[in-house]
Amino acid sequence: MFETNYDDCWLRYERVDDDELRTSYRQRLSHAYVSEGAPELGAVRAELGRGFEGLLGREPHLWQHPPRSIERFLVIGHPEEMRPISETIDPDEIWTLAEDGYVIRTVEWEEHECTVVTAPSDRGLVYGTFHLLRLLALGEPIDDLDIVEEPANNSRILNHWDNPFRRSVERGYAGQSIFDWERLPDLRERYVDYARLLASLGINGIVPNNVNTGIPSRPTANDAVAERAGWQLLESENLEKVEALASVFRRYGIRTYLSVNYAAPIRLGGLETADPLDPEVQQWWQDKADEVYDVIPDFGGFLVKADSEGQPGPYDYDRSHAEGANVLAEALEPHGGRVWWRAFVYSEHDDRAVQAYETFEPIDGEFHENVTVQIKNGPIDFQQREPISTLFGAMPETDLGCELQLTGEYTGQGVHATYHVPMWKEILEFDTYADGEGTPVKDVLADREGQGIAGVGIVGEDPNWTGNYLLQSNLYGFGRLCWDPDLTAEEITDEWVRQTFGHDETVVETVSDMLLESWDACIDYHTGGLGLMHMMYNGEAALENHYDPAPEEWPEYVGATGDGIGVDRTSSGSGYAAQYRAPLTDLYDDPETCPEELLLFFHHLPWEYELPDGTTVVQRLYDNCFDGVEAVRELRARWNGLEGRVDDRRYRHVAERFDEHVVQAERWRDALCAYFYDHSTVADENGRVPR
Ligand code: GCU
């Protein structure tokens, strides 16, 4: 069970340096009266032990009753179980909190002063405990606490694109999958540590297998032999493995879901069809759901990629996505499970941007109430910057989930230090006008119980978990934003850096600024910054890449011709702009009002179209590409300036990645600029682009 050769990420629990602070923490927390019983409380105790040992130099003394002779102590539990809580906090305040909420409060009880962590659920106690530990790791005072927390989003789920049995990870850049299905139900310590990382952020669901359940959907040479795949996890003999994994995550308040294959009734059940309106198919799903819940009583539900990129779905039987999803939903409903049905589909329309809306908007209101339609943040595919998906403003009768990508499929993979939090803030703050002005995506999502945020995972077997140490920040930031989308990017970043690298102000400031600036740089050298996208190399099916530049490979996404560049997606073009609520349609339809960063997404404009500051489109593209590379060089230089301030191992690892990052940014700049020049034949005013 012991494997300790991997990083602790932000749960390092380094000793609190400041003597005064450490003494005050010790005085208040060294004695802990912690409720017992639920498995989550075991996790709480273990975490206190680990956290205090690191932060304070000693484990807490645990009590099963209030320690009468101790003046100050910590109390963790539910109100009805513990007098220091029930006699100081109105239980109604706790019971009316959202299920995952919690309170951390300093109270006077009899002659004692107690730091109380209480919550309506066991999971809430786990979250509250991690919050308290975070305060200590951040060096915050705890003398007079009064914290009331509730998550903004009910579901906060990680989707792993991990391929069971073979342990490869689709779009994973941090080594093989941490989930070892061959050896399950044998458990690994790493599952526990992963659960701890997630619980510290408030993540409450995981899907451990890829949405592409019918692997190989993109075969590699090795895959030819390997046929065991994600769809098989629903097999009776594999449910025990799923339960073993679920039992680890359950202790940390995390429910386990599975990606399922729409043709499961055929592949697993031996039926002739998977037609959702066929009674035998309906019965099969019900029986399967009953069986799953027998083994995994708190099972979360099914995630489905249907009728997309070769995966089967209801279209095979001329049924709609709603008909397709509802049969699964009905099977899960008696057990409290939910279907997360992905909107990542294609339709007949020439422009991919309009396709998801075209497919899903007409069936708003037709989904069963335990179905959530999971929508990628933008209409294309996790590009460096996309406009926000029109579906967020278009399905008021349906529970919606937003799918974000933590792994950097298009943002430099495991190499480039591209921090996604500023991008996610932009997405969540975007005003959809769904319910008039002032309906940002974050409110659309937070509005209903069956909604939430799902993130495509980033971790793998690498010792640093994420390919590049700095990219751990994307997992951290994702979880924190799911919990509280009102946090600013700056707040989240500061928290992450301090817990990961300590409190040296030079390091905190430098790393924070680097992260916060990295996304802009990434957009510039990957796209030219005016809303172009999808210019990456794809490659043979066996070697899909999405890392190197190849703007000529996808002409329909770029729209470069002799006379101009960009794609006309206005109301009179492909019509994407018209899918937005009224004021947005007008905003995007007019090149004069369309935000510059999305200009060429919505418009095909002459190369020498003048931007408000007098610069032409083609010149701006050149300039941004060059600026992007300069920005990456600057990031590298700033990191290099931290030598000696960050431990050598992490310092060198990241420094090497920055060397590659610079080279790769230059390759993108050169490929893009050459492409712009070839089509426009307009020279760069500064003579940097070869003619
Ligand atoms: C992209 C990605 C695929 C993934 C797909 C999806 O196309 O490149 O690897 O399977 O999105 O989200 O389903």
Side-chain angles (χ1 to χ4, degrees):
M1 249 322 233
F2 285 101
E3 316 156 88
T4 44
N5 58 339
Y6 50 83
D7 197 51
D8 289 328
C9 301
W10 53 90
L11 297 180
R12 309 185 96 71
Y13 299 135
E14 300 280 353
R15 177 73 62 97
V16 176
D17 271 346
D18 184 321
D19 291 340
E20 216 177 295
L21 210 48
R22 198 174 58 247
T23 306
S24 125
Y25 291 162
R26 279 180 173 174
Q27 280 169 351
R28 291 186 174 277
L29 307 174
S30 290
H31 292 266
Y33 167 36
V34 181
S35 168
E36 288 183 7
E40 287 88 337
L41 270 310
V44 163
R45 287 161 171 264
E47 201 63 30
L48 287 178
R50 190 169 191 145
F52 289 178
E53 160 117 58
L55 291 157
L56 310 180
R58 55 165 91 130
E59 293 199 12
H61 187 102
L62 292 170
W63 295 81
Q64 286 166 320
H65 51 79
R68 289 287 172 189
S69 58
I70 309 292
E71 194 188 339
R72 300 193 177 104
F73 57 90
L74 172 64
V75 186
I76 303 182
H78 299 299
E80 80 282 3
E81 295 164 351
M82 305 171 109
R83 287 182 48 223
I85 305 179
S86 61
E87 292 173 10
T88 58
I89 301 179
D90 177 0
D92 276 353
E93 184 185 346
I94 313 302
W95 298 125
T96 51
L97 282 178
E99 199 193 331
D100 291 0
Y102 55 87
V103 170
I104 307 179
R105 187 168 294 161
T106 313
V107 301
E108 307 269 340
W109 178 70
E110 299 187 344
E111 66 280 17
H112 306 277
E113 206 170 71
C114 302
T115 306
V116 167
V117 178
T118 186
S121 68
D122 296 321
R123 180 188 284 145
L125 296 176
V126 175
Y127 297 152
T129 302
F130 275 109
H131 189 143
L132 180 67
L133 287 164
R134 180 165 71 233
L135 294 177
L136 269 46
L138 293 175
E140 299 285 341
I142 60 159
D143 296 336
D144 190 14
L145 294 174
D146 188 6
I147 295 168
V148 181
E149 281 279 335
E150 289 180 300
N153 293 290
N154 221 31
S155 291
R156 309 172 298 278
I157 305 180
L158 271 173
N159 293 180
H160 294 270
W161 287 0
D162 296 25
N163 300 318
F165 306 109
R166 288 172 313 135
R167 298 187 69 179
S168 57
V169 182
E170 182 158 332
R171 312 307 178 190
Y173 312 104
Q176 61 178 358
S177 170
I178 62 169
F179 302 118
D180 187 349
W181 291 95
E182 292 293 353
R183 295 170 82 177
L184 277 162
D186 288 355
L187 296 175
R188 309 178 64 199
E189 191 68 21
R190 196 155 188 170
Y191 302 151
V192 178
D193 286 320
Y194 188 44
R196 292 174 51 238
L197 289 170
L198 299 187
S200 73
L201 307 170
I203 299 288
N204 64 358
I206 60 154
V207 187
N209 65 322
N210 192 353
V211 290
N212 289 316
T213 48
I215 301 292
S217 65
R218 294 180 176 74
T220 67
N222 291 336
D223 292 332
V225 275
E227 232 314 287
R228 302 186 66 200
W231 60 273
Q232 288 175 298
L233 294 185
L234 270 189
E235 273 174 355
S236 305
E237 70 207 51
N238 285 327
L239 291 178
E240 185 200 354
K241 292 173 183 272
V242 182
E243 164 55 17
L245 200 56
S247 71
V248 175
F249 286 90
R250 180 180 302 130
R251 282 183 86 217
Y252 288 88
I254 300 164
R255 287 173 91 177
T256 300
Y257 299 66
L258 284 179
S259 293
V260 299
N261 189 286
Y262 204 73
I266 303 173
R267 299 184 87 162
L268 293 170
L271 302 189
E272 306 237 303
T273 176
D275 179 351
L277 299 194
D278 182 299
E280 267 192 87
V281 170
Q282 294 169 351
Q283 190 60 48
W284 187 85
W285 281 111
Q286 276 167 26
D287 293 345
K288 187 46 86 176
D290 293 348
E291 185 190 356
V292 170
Y293 279 90
D294 263 352
V295 184
I296 313 156
D298 62 341
F299 183 69
F302 298 144
L303 171 64
V304 191
K305 172 173 178 174
D307 292 315
S308 171
E309 301 184 331
Q311 299 298 311
Y315 282 5
D316 296 339
Y317 311 97
D318 272 337
R319 310 297 183 197
S320 74
H321 280 278
E323 288 168 318
N326 290 346
V327 60
L328 276 63
E330 278 161 26
L332 293 170
E333 190 177 27
H335 308 284
R338 178 161 284 276
V339 175
W340 289 74
W341 189 267
R342 297 179 82 228
F344 182 68
V345 297
Y346 299 79
S347 75
E348 297 295 302
H349 199 291
D350 286 348
D351 177 16
R352 180 170 168 195
V354 306
Q355 295 173 357
Y357 179 103
E358 198 172 65
T359 309
F360 279 87
E361 189 273 341
I363 53 174
D364 181 34
E366 293 179 18
F367 289 92
H368 211 278
E369 60 187 23
N370 60 330
V371 176
T372 304
V373 171
Q374 180 167 316
I375 305 164
K376 284 190 183 181
N377 60 270
I380 304 295
D381 187 23
F382 301 132
Q383 297 299 294
Q384 295 81 13
R385 171 185 258 134
E386 293 192 36
I388 289 10
S389 169
T390 47
L391 276 173
F392 291 113
M395 298 189 72
E397 304 300 320
T398 307
D399 282 346
L400 302 180
C402 177
E403 182 175 310
L404 303 171
Q405 196 180 45
L406 283 65
T407 190
E409 176 176 357
Y410 300 98
T411 57
Q413 305 192 350
V415 177
H416 304 204
T418 309
Y419 184 45
H420 291 182
V421 168
M423 166 173 28
W424 297 334
K425 278 299 283 182
E426 180 172 294
I427 294 159
L428 294 168
E429 298 293 344
F430 178 79
D431 194 350
T432 63
Y433 287 83
D435 196 14
E437 190 175 359
T439 326
V441 172
K442 66 181 181 189
D443 289 359
V444 171
L445 297 173
D447 201 32
R448 290 213 291 255
E449 265 197 14
Q451 306 201 122
I453 305 186
V456 179
I458 188 170
V459 306
E461 196 65 0
D462 279 4
N464 61 35
W465 297 86
T466 53
N468 179 333
Y469 281 97
L470 293 183
L471 295 174
Q472 294 171 355
S473 58
N474 283 330
L475 180 53
Y476 187 86
F478 172 77
R480 296 290 286 133
L481 274 180
C482 288
W483 183 276
D484 182 1
D486 291 333
L487 289 170
T488 65
E490 288 74 13
E491 285 167 326
I492 294 171
T493 314
D494 185 81
E495 280 182 8
W496 178 77
V497 181
R498 287 179 189 278
Q499 292 173 86
T500 304
F501 290 109
H503 299 280
D504 174 339
E505 290 304 324
T506 306
V507 175
V508 173
E509 211 174 295
T510 308
V511 178
S512 299
D513 289 350
M514 287 171 58
L515 289 176
L516 291 167
E517 289 166 32
S518 63
W519 180 46
D520 280 341
C522 162
I523 295 168
D524 279 347
Y525 65 80
H526 269 118
T527 74
L530 294 183
L532 297 175
M533 61 190 67
H534 217 275
M535 297 191 279
M536 72 291 170
Y537 177 64
N538 195 33
E540 298 302 313
L543 296 166
E544 260 196 304
N545 165 299
H546 290 190
Y547 182 67
D548 294 316
E552 66 292 343
E553 195 167 322
W554 309 91
E556 71 278 22
Y557 288 93
V558 189
T561 58
D563 66 4
I565 184 155
V567 180
D568 183 358
R569 294 190 170 101
T570 61
S571 304
S572 54
S574 81
Y576 185 70
Q579 295 178 349
Y580 283 106
R581 299 279 171 152
L584 296 170
T585 303
D586 290 347
L587 178 87
Y588 292 128
D589 263 351
D590 181 352
E592 299 290 315
T593 56
C594 182
E596 182 172 309
E597 65 270 15
L598 291 174
L599 194 57
L600 300 179
F601 181 85
F602 284 102
H603 297 274
H604 180 84
L605 295 173
W607 289 104
E608 299 195 78
Y609 179 89
E610 263 192 30
L611 298 167
D613 67 357
T615 308
T616 62
V617 159
V618 64
Q619 189 58 42
R620 179 77 99 240
L621 290 170
Y622 293 145
D623 289 348
N624 284 341
C625 285
F626 278 87
D627 287 353
V629 173
E630 278 321 302
V632 177
R633 288 205 183 110
E634 179 64 23
L635 294 179
R636 175 173 65 173
R638 282 196 260 165
W639 179 260
N640 289 346
L642 297 180
E643 185 166 10
R645 288 182 181 268
V646 168
D647 58 276
D648 216 42
R649 180 188 159 101
R650 285 187 293 171
Y651 169 77
R652 276 191 289 111
H653 179 97
V654 173
E656 280 165 18
R657 294 224 164 5
F658 267 121
D659 288 341
E660 159 72 8
H661 189 168
V662 169
V663 170
Q664 183 71 354
E666 288 168 350
R667 287 168 72 195
W668 273 87
R669 175 199 64 198
D670 294 345
L672 262 47
C673 287
Y675 175 77
F676 299 144
Y677 177 73
D678 280 352
H679 285 273
S680 68
T681 65
V682 179
D684 167 30
E685 279 168 9
N686 300 315
R688 298 160 300 186
V689 178
R691 302 167 64 171

